[in-house]
Coordinates of all heavy atoms in Angstrom, one line a residue:
T2 N 40.7 258.8 27.6 CA 39.9 257.7 28.1 C 39.4 258.0 29.5 O 40.1 258.2 30.5 CB 40.7 256.4 28.2 OG1 41.2 256.1 26.9 CG2 39.9 255.2 28.7
L24 N 23.4 260.9 42.6 CA 24.4 260.6 43.6 C 25.8 260.5 43.1 O 26.7 261.1 43.7 CB 24.0 259.2 44.3 CG 24.6 258.8 45.6 CD1 24.2 259.7 46.7 CD2 24.2 257.4 45.9
R32 N 36.1 262.0 43.2 CA 36.9 260.9 43.5 C 37.8 260.5 42.3 O 38.8 259.8 42.5 CB 36.0 259.7 43.9 CG 35.2 260.0 45.1 CD 34.2 258.9 45.5 NE 33.5 259.4 46.7 CZ 32.6 258.6 47.3 NH1 32.4 257.3 47.0 NH2 31.9 259.1 48.4
A37 N 41.5 263.6 45.1 CA 41.2 262.4 45.8 C 42.4 261.5 46.0 O 42.5 260.8 47.0 CB 40.2 261.6 45.0
R73 N 46.4 243.6 41.3 CA 46.0 242.6 42.3 C 45.2 241.4 41.7 O 45.5 240.3 42.1 CB 45.2 243.2 43.4 CG 46.0 244.4 44.2 CD 47.0 243.8 45.1 NE 47.7 244.9 45.9 CZ 48.6 244.7 46.8 NH1 49.1 243.4 47.0 NH2 49.2 245.7 47.4
A86 N 48.8 239.1 37.3 CA 48.5 239.8 38.5 C 48.9 239.0 39.8 O 49.2 237.8 39.6 CB 47.0 240.1 38.6
R89 N 45.8 234.7 41.0 CA 45.2 233.9 39.9 C 43.7 233.8 40.1 O 43.2 232.8 40.6 CB 45.9 232.6 39.8 CG 47.3 232.6 39.3 CD 47.3 232.8 37.8 NE 46.4 231.9 37.1 CZ 46.7 230.7 36.7 NH1 47.9 230.2 36.9 NH2 45.9 230.0 36.0
K93 N 39.8 231.0 41.4 CA 38.6 231.2 42.3 C 37.3 231.2 41.5 O 36.4 230.6 41.9 CB 38.7 232.6 43.0 CG 37.6 232.8 44.0 CD 37.8 234.2 44.7 CE 39.0 234.3 45.5 NZ 39.1 235.6 46.2
A95 N 36.8 229.6 38.7 CA 36.5 228.3 38.3 C 35.8 227.5 39.4 O 35.0 226.6 39.1 CB 37.8 227.6 37.8
R96 N 36.2 227.8 40.7 CA 35.6 227.0 41.8 C 34.1 227.4 42.0 O 33.4 226.5 42.6 CB 36.4 227.3 43.1 CG 37.8 226.7 43.1 CD 38.4 226.7 44.5 NE 38.6 228.0 45.0 CZ 39.8 228.7 44.9 NH1 40.8 228.2 44.2 NH2 39.9 229.9 45.5
N116 N 39.7 245.7 40.2 CA 39.8 246.2 38.8 C 38.8 245.6 37.8 O 38.9 245.8 36.6 CB 41.2 246.0 38.3 CG 41.7 244.5 38.3 OD1 40.8 243.6 38.2 ND2 43.0 244.2 38.3
A146 N 41.4 250.9 31.6 CA 42.4 250.5 30.7 C 42.1 249.1 30.1 O 42.2 248.9 28.9 CB 43.7 250.4 31.5
T175 N 24.2 239.3 43.8 CA 25.2 240.2 44.5 C 26.3 239.4 44.9 O 26.2 238.4 45.6 CB 24.5 241.0 45.7 OG1 23.4 241.8 45.2 CG2 25.6 241.9 46.3
S186 N 32.1 245.6 61.1 CA 30.8 244.9 61.5 C 30.4 244.0 60.4 O 29.7 244.4 59.4 CB 29.7 246.0 61.7 OG 28.5 245.3 62.0
T198 N 19.8 243.3 47.1 CA 19.4 242.1 46.4 C 17.9 241.9 46.4 O 17.3 242.0 47.5 CB 20.1 240.9 46.9 OG1 21.5 241.2 47.1 CG2 19.9 239.7 46.0
T214 N 34.5 222.7 63.2 CA 33.1 222.2 63.1 C 32.2 222.9 64.0 O 31.0 222.8 63.9 CB 33.0 220.7 63.2 OG1 33.5 220.4 64.5 CG2 33.8 220.0 62.2
R224 N 47.4 241.6 63.9 CA 47.3 241.4 62.4 C 47.0 239.9 62.2 O 47.2 239.0 63.0 CB 48.7 241.6 61.8 CG 49.2 243.1 61.9 CD 50.5 243.3 61.1 NE 51.0 244.6 61.3 CZ 51.8 245.2 60.5 NH1 52.2 244.6 59.4 NH2 52.3 246.4 60.7
R229 N 46.5 244.3 58.8 CA 46.0 245.0 59.9 C 44.4 245.0 59.9 O 43.8 245.1 60.9 CB 46.5 246.4 60.1 CG 48.0 246.5 60.6 CD 48.3 247.9 60.9 NE 49.7 248.0 61.4 CZ 50.1 247.8 62.6 NH1 49.2 247.4 63.5 NH2 51.4 247.9 62.9
L234 N 37.1 236.6 61.9 CA 37.3 235.4 61.2 C 36.4 234.3 61.8 O 36.6 233.8 62.9 CB 38.8 234.9 61.4 CG 39.8 235.9 60.8 CD1 41.2 235.5 61.3 CD2 39.7 235.9 59.3
V237 N 33.0 228.2 59.4 CA 31.9 228.0 58.4 C 30.6 227.9 59.1 O 29.6 228.6 58.7 CB 32.2 226.9 57.5 CG1 30.9 226.5 56.7 CG2 33.4 227.2 56.6
E245 N 21.8 233.2 58.2 CA 20.4 232.9 58.6 C 19.8 233.9 59.4 O 18.6 234.3 59.3 CB 20.4 231.5 59.2 CG 20.7 230.4 58.3 CD 21.1 229.1 59.0 OE1 21.1 229.1 60.2 OE2 21.3 228.0 58.3
L276 N 51.5 236.4 49.7 CA 51.1 235.4 50.7 C 52.4 234.7 51.3 O 52.4 234.4 52.5 CB 50.2 234.3 50.0 CG 49.8 233.1 50.9 CD1 49.0 233.6 52.1 CD2 49.0 232.1 50.0
G286 N 51.3 225.9 57.1 CA 49.9 225.8 57.5 C 49.5 226.9 58.5 O 48.3 226.9 58.9
P295 N 45.2 231.0 55.5 CA 43.9 231.4 54.9 C 43.2 230.3 54.2 O 43.7 229.7 53.3 CB 44.3 232.5 54.0 CG 45.5 233.1 54.4 CD 46.3 231.9 55.0

Side-chain angles (χ1 to χ4, degrees):
T2 301
L24 191 65
R32 299 176 186 186
R73 299 285 184 178
R89 285 289 309 274
K93 184 183 297 185
R96 291 195 293 268
N116 59 23
T175 299
S186 176
T198 310
T214 56
R224 300 187 184 203
R229 286 191 180 277
L234 297 170
V237 169
E245 290 164 357
L276 178 62

